[in-house]
């Protein structure tokens, strides 16, 4: 099942590369503009050597270049179409086509590893987190940003219950570990791996990554303005930010 998922996932990411690039990068997405990129910038203020796992077309690394001296920025992603666009969009950043579970670098002494909206698409946490730790110096930081696993379960969603005049966010089967291919918008199928939050924290801990800080920000205004039906759910976070220290 896992190998089958990996093959399907690779194809889907490749097939949907332009959907991601057009809708979510280069300033197109308010959650990135107003929330995700500022949070990553804040958590990397003192970082010099940064590796991004699942870098996509490189928007996070390009953002981290602004106004800062960084010694080394390196991005890996298994989707060739993403890495090709990352090269084109430029900057003094190095890229490689590679998966999180097999990073083609020696023990590189990065002070920071970033993974932004990537690990919820990876079916096997163990090798990926082991690689993250291998890339980091002791005392280094790992920034793990996720679609909030408590609220973004496969069956979650906004319920407008007309019969009772009630509106609420349905959580879904939070404790069920599940691989799903979700139709995130018409004809766009994206692979997700749902797991409870404790899986992330405990597996990170086994691999020498200790939780230092957790952020669950409210959806930013620019997102609420785009999705009026979501306004009532503005107290339900969509993003989870976890900051780990490498022991
Ligand atoms: C939602 S996009 C996020 C891209 C980028 N981190 C950003 O925030 O703009 C998810 C990315 O994860 C990559 N990805 C999928 N499976 C992966 C894996 N096993 N290892 C590393 N990256 C993976 C995809 O190719 C895709 O570029």
């Amino acid at each position: 099942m896992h190998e089958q998922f990996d093959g399907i996932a690779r194809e889907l990411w490749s097939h949907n590369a332009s959907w991601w690039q057009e809708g979510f990068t280069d300033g197109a997405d308010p959650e990135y503009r107003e929330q995700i990129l500022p949070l990553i910038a804040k958590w990397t203020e003192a970082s010099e050597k940064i590796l991004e796992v699942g870098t996509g077309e490189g928007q996070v690394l390009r953002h981290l270049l602004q106004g800062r001296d960084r010694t080394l920025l390196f991005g890996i992603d298994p989707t060739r179409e993403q890495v090709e666009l990352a090269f084109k969009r430029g900057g003094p950043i190095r890229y490689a086509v590679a998966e999180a579970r097999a990073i083609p670098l020696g023990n590189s002494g990065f002070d920071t590893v970033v993974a932004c909206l990537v690990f919820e698409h990876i079916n096997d946490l163990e090798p990926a987190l082991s690689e993250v730790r291998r890339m980091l110096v002791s005392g280094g930081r790992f920034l793990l940003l996720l679609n909030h696993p408590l609220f973004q379960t496969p069956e979650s969603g906004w319920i407008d219950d007309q019969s009772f005049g009630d509106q609420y966010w349905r959580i879904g089967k939070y404790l069920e570990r599940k691989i799903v291919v979700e139709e995130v918008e018409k004809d766009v199928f994206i692979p997700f791996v749902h797991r409870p939050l404790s899986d992330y924290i405990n597996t990170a801990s086994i691999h020498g990554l200790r939780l230092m800080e957790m952020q669950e920000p409210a959806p930013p205004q620019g997102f609420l303005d785009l999705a009026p039906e979501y306004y009532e759910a503005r107290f339900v976070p969509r993003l989870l930010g976890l900051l780990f220290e490498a022991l």
Side-chain angles (χ1 to χ4, degrees):
M1 179 63 184
H2 280 305
E3 273 165 26
Q4 209 183 349
F5 173 84
D6 283 349
I8 293 169
R10 269 193 296 276
E11 264 176 43
L12 288 173
W13 279 113
S14 174
H15 183 73
N16 292 313
S18 57
W19 162 79
W20 175 257
Q21 294 159 356
E22 285 158 23
F24 298 93
T25 71
D26 234 9
D29 179 61
E31 288 180 286
Y32 267 92
R33 273 197 324 267
E34 295 176 27
Q35 187 160 73
I36 295 174
L37 295 174
L39 176 61
I40 297 175
K42 182 175 141 223
W43 275 349
T44 53
E45 263 172 8
S47 305
E48 291 184 0
K49 294 171 89 180
I50 305 174
L51 170 69
E52 192 191 4
V53 174
T55 191
E57 54 62 74
Q59 64 175 331
V60 169
L61 292 176
R62 283 193 304 281
H63 184 75
L64 296 184
L65 271 174
Q66 293 170 14
R68 290 262 153 207
D69 285 332
R70 315 277 190 186
T71 318
L72 173 63
L73 294 176
F74 203 111
I76 63 145
D77 198 289
T79 308
R80 186 165 296 281
E81 291 85 346
Q82 298 287 13
V83 175
E84 281 172 0
L85 184 61
F87 269 119
K88 275 196 203 135
R89 288 188 165 170
I93 305 170
R94 295 163 69 184
Y95 291 105
V97 175
E99 295 214 13
R101 67 177 167 208
I103 299 177
L105 297 169
N107 295 357
S108 305
F110 288 95
D111 56 52
T112 305
V113 173
V114 180
C116 178
L117 307 193
V118 173
F119 271 65
E120 59 272 64
H121 305 291
I122 293 179
N123 76 41
D124 198 352
L125 273 187
E126 289 272 349
L129 287 171
S130 162
E131 282 291 81
V132 166
R133 178 63 190 88
R134 186 174 72 80
M135 288 296 110
L136 282 167
V137 293
S138 292
R141 298 180 145 209
F142 174 42
L143 281 60
L144 178 60
L145 283 88
L146 299 165
N147 286 293
H148 200 306
L150 176 55
F151 299 106
Q152 303 290 320
T153 58
E155 297 87 5
S156 64
W158 184 240
I159 302 293
D160 193 352
D161 188 343
Q162 306 269 335
S163 47
F164 290 98
D166 203 6
Q167 295 181 316
Y168 58 92
W169 186 263
R170 179 178 59 200
I171 287 178
K173 295 178 183 151
Y174 171 66
L175 290 174
E176 186 181 39
R177 293 170 179 81
K178 194 172 182 184
I179 291 176
V180 284
V181 175
E182 255 182 58
E183 188 171 17
V184 292
E185 64 181 56
K186 193 169 178 318
D187 298 331
V188 179
F189 294 89
I190 296 291
F192 284 89
V193 182
H194 173 71
R195 51 176 74 87
L197 175 54
S198 48
D199 281 12
Y200 289 103
I201 308 277
N202 294 335
T203 312
S205 168
I206 289 166
H207 290 286
L209 298 163
R210 187 176 58 96
L211 186 63
M212 294 165 69
E213 190 181 330
M214 173 165 156
Q215 291 286 334
E216 300 174 288
Q221 193 57 46
F223 174 79
L224 295 173
D225 291 346
L226 282 182
E229 73 283 1
Y230 196 82
Y231 188 70
E232 290 300 322
R234 62 195 182 282
F235 300 113
V236 179
R238 289 165 52 81
L239 182 73
L240 175 68
L242 301 172
L243 177 62
F244 296 91
E245 180 187 16
L247 301 177

